[in-house]
């Protein structure tokens, strides 16, 4: 058992490492993200308590910590180091998601026509790619989840305790001609 309340963020396929967020009773500020290794029974804080309004999440492969901060999508190695900005000007403060291999970061933003959309950007850099329309248009209560083989994206809507689920399959962006 753990001290205090914990919310599980992710459990990768290896079932040895888990990521938790401590209870949100640290207001003001956002709770830390904690890595727990089942084999050693040890915890490591990978993202400390912060007063900055940001959203952070571990990548599915465990290599990166990804965050949205002040309209910027950023990532850094899980072990620490400098944050690298991939996209700026993002007006939607939603949790990002990664592909299972950690090569792509998916995020919710508004496209050039003003429609809620889903984008991806490579951790190697480059221009974001539009994947398609985002099915949820509200300020909170939604989440993206990637299937273990990265073939499907699940969008969850949990506002007002009525849940809706959308699945996006075959989401490779169109190639430029």
């Amino acid at each position: 058992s753990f001290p205090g309340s914990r919310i599980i963020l992710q459990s990768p396929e290896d079932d040895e490492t888990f990521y938790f967020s401590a209870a949100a009773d640290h207001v003001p500020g956002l709770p830390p993200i904690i890595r727990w290794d089942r084999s050693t029974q040890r915890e490591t804080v990978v993202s400390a308590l912060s007063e900055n309004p940001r959203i952070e999440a571990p990548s599915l492969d465990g290599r990166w910590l990804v965050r949205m901060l002040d309209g910027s999508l950023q990532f850094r190695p899980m072990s620490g180091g400098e944050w690298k900005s991939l996209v700026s000007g993002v007006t939607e403060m939603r949790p990002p998601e990664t592909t299972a291999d950690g090569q792509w970061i998916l995020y919710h933003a508004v496209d050039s026509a003003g429609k809620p959309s889903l984008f991806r950007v490579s951790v190697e850099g480059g221009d974001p790619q539009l994947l398609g329309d985002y099915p949820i248009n509200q300020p909170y209560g939604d989440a993206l989840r990637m299937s273990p083989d990265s073939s499907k994206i699940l969008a969850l809507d949990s506002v007002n305790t009525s849940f809706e689920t959308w699945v996006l399959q075959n989401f490779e962006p169109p190639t430029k001609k």
Side-chain angles (χ1 to χ4, degrees):
S1 86
F2 298 103
S5 300
R6 302 290 168 97
I7 300 165
I8 191 162
L9 297 175
Q10 168 189 322
S11 171
E13 287 184 31
D14 68 10
D15 213 23
E16 289 295 320
T17 306
F18 298 84
Y19 293 93
F20 294 92
S21 176
D25 43 312
H26 302 292
V27 178
L30 298 173
I33 294 177
I34 299 163
R35 178 184 185 272
W36 180 67
D37 186 314
R38 191 170 82 167
S39 63
T40 63
Q41 303 286 306
R42 293 195 179 183
E43 289 186 353
T44 306
V45 174
V46 296
S47 173
L49 173 68
S50 174
E51 298 296 323
N52 294 326
R54 85 308 187 226
I55 296 174
E56 293 181 348
S59 65
L60 293 176
D61 67 349
R63 291 186 300 157
W64 314 113
L65 191 60
V66 182
R67 76 177 178 185
M68 286 288 209
L69 175 67
D70 297 330
S72 177
L73 176 64
Q74 304 172 349
F75 79 107
R76 71 163 171 82
M78 187 66 71
S79 59
E82 295 296 317
W83 289 95
K84 178 181 176 185
S85 182
L86 292 170
V87 179
S88 61
V90 179
T91 58
E92 303 293 323
M93 207 48 183
R94 301 290 207 295
E97 180 67 280
T98 67
T99 53
D101 62 6
Q103 289 302 114
W104 295 92
I105 301 172
L106 284 72
Y107 65 97
H108 175 221
V110 175
D111 69 10
S112 58
K115 291 177 23 184
S117 299
L118 183 63
F119 292 85
R120 76 176 186 174
V121 65
S122 171
V123 295
E124 302 294 325
D127 291 332
Q129 298 174 351
L130 174 65
L131 296 178
D133 294 341
Y134 193 74
I136 305 166
N137 187 18
Q138 57 199 23
Y140 62 89
D142 64 296
L144 284 174
R145 294 294 179 259
M146 181 67 67
S147 66
D149 66 356
S150 294
S151 68
K152 296 179 184 81
I153 301 169
L154 185 66
L156 304 166
D157 175 3
S158 62
V159 171
N160 300 323
T161 66
S162 76
F163 293 88
E164 293 187 45
T165 305
W166 294 269
V167 177
L168 176 63
Q169 299 181 42
N170 304 317
F171 57 87
E172 284 295 317
T175 57
K176 293 182 180 179
K177 295 181 183 187

